Amino acid sequence: MARPGEVEQKWLLVDATDKVVGRLASEIAVILMGKHRPTYTPHVDTGDFVVVTNCEKIRFTGKKWETKTSAWSPGSPGKKTITAEARRERRPELILEEAVRRMLPKNKLGMAMLKKLKVYAGTDHPHAAQQPQPTDLAS
C-alpha cells in the first residue's frame, strides 16, 4: 500500500488536438487518481500531474457543440445556460476541466487530484521546468 509522501509523481504532457472530450477526460481521470500504477491505494493521492495543451481544438461527436448546454445559478432567481460552442469561444479550458472533475471522487481527495490538472488553450504552458513527458492518450 502506498503512503502519502512516498509516491513519486511524474508530469505528463497531453496534446488535445482532435481528441474526443469524454474519451480523453476518462483517461486523464485514471492518471490523476493513480489507477495506472500497481501501487494504487484508494485513500492516497497516487496520481501524476497532467498538462493539457491545445484544448481549443478538442472535439465532440455528433451535434453536441450546438445541443450540449451548461447551466448554473447566478445567485438571483433563474438559471443561466450556455452552449458548448459559446463556451469554447470564451473559455475552452472549462470544457475539459468540467468533464474530468465529474469523473473524479466527490470529496477532498478528488479536489486535490483536480489541482494536479493543468489545462491551456494554446501550445504554450509555464511548466517547462518540470520537464513533462509527452504522452498520447485517447488515440
Side-chain angles (χ1 to χ4, degrees):
M1 290 185 50
R3 293 184 181 169
E6 287 184 356
V7 180
E8 181 182 335
Q9 296 174 333
K10 296 186 284 186
W11 284 74
L12 303 175
L13 179 65
V14 178
D15 186 14
T17 304
D18 294 329
K19 302 284 173 75
V20 179
V21 174
R23 293 170 195 239
L24 181 63
S26 63
E27 290 189 21
I28 290 173
V30 167
I31 291 172
L32 291 175
M33 286 187 277
K35 287 192 169 188
H36 65 293
R37 294 178 182 246
T39 59
Y40 169 69
T41 308
H43 62 278
V44 178
D45 188 7
T46 58
D48 295 330
F49 287 83
V50 179
V51 179
V52 181
T53 58
N54 291 325
C55 73
E56 79 276 358
K57 298 176 184 174
I58 208 163
R59 67 182 182 95
F60 279 117
T61 57
K63 296 183 178 181
K64 291 187 188 128
W65 284 120
E66 297 87 25
T67 58
K68 189 171 184 68
T69 61
S70 299
W72 69 95
S73 177
S76 56
K79 187 185 285 188
K80 296 213 174 211
T81 59
I82 189 171
T83 63
E85 194 169 22
R87 177 162 273 190
R88 179 175 55 176
E89 293 171 5
R90 285 184 171 189
R91 288 195 53 201
E93 306 92 13
L94 281 182
I95 294 172
L96 188 61
E97 283 178 15
E98 287 294 309
V100 173
R101 181 186 62 83
R102 292 177 181 134
M103 294 181 187
L104 292 175
K106 277 66 172 179
N107 53 26
K108 291 180 185 178
L109 186 60
M111 292 300 109
M113 292 173 185
L114 189 62
K115 288 180 183 177
K116 296 186 301 183
L117 175 65
K118 316 294 183 185
V119 184
Y120 300 100
T123 58
D124 299 330
H125 61 86
H127 305 288
Q130 285 76 25
Q131 299 173 349
Q133 302 168 356
T135 57
D136 190 28
L137 299 178
S139 57

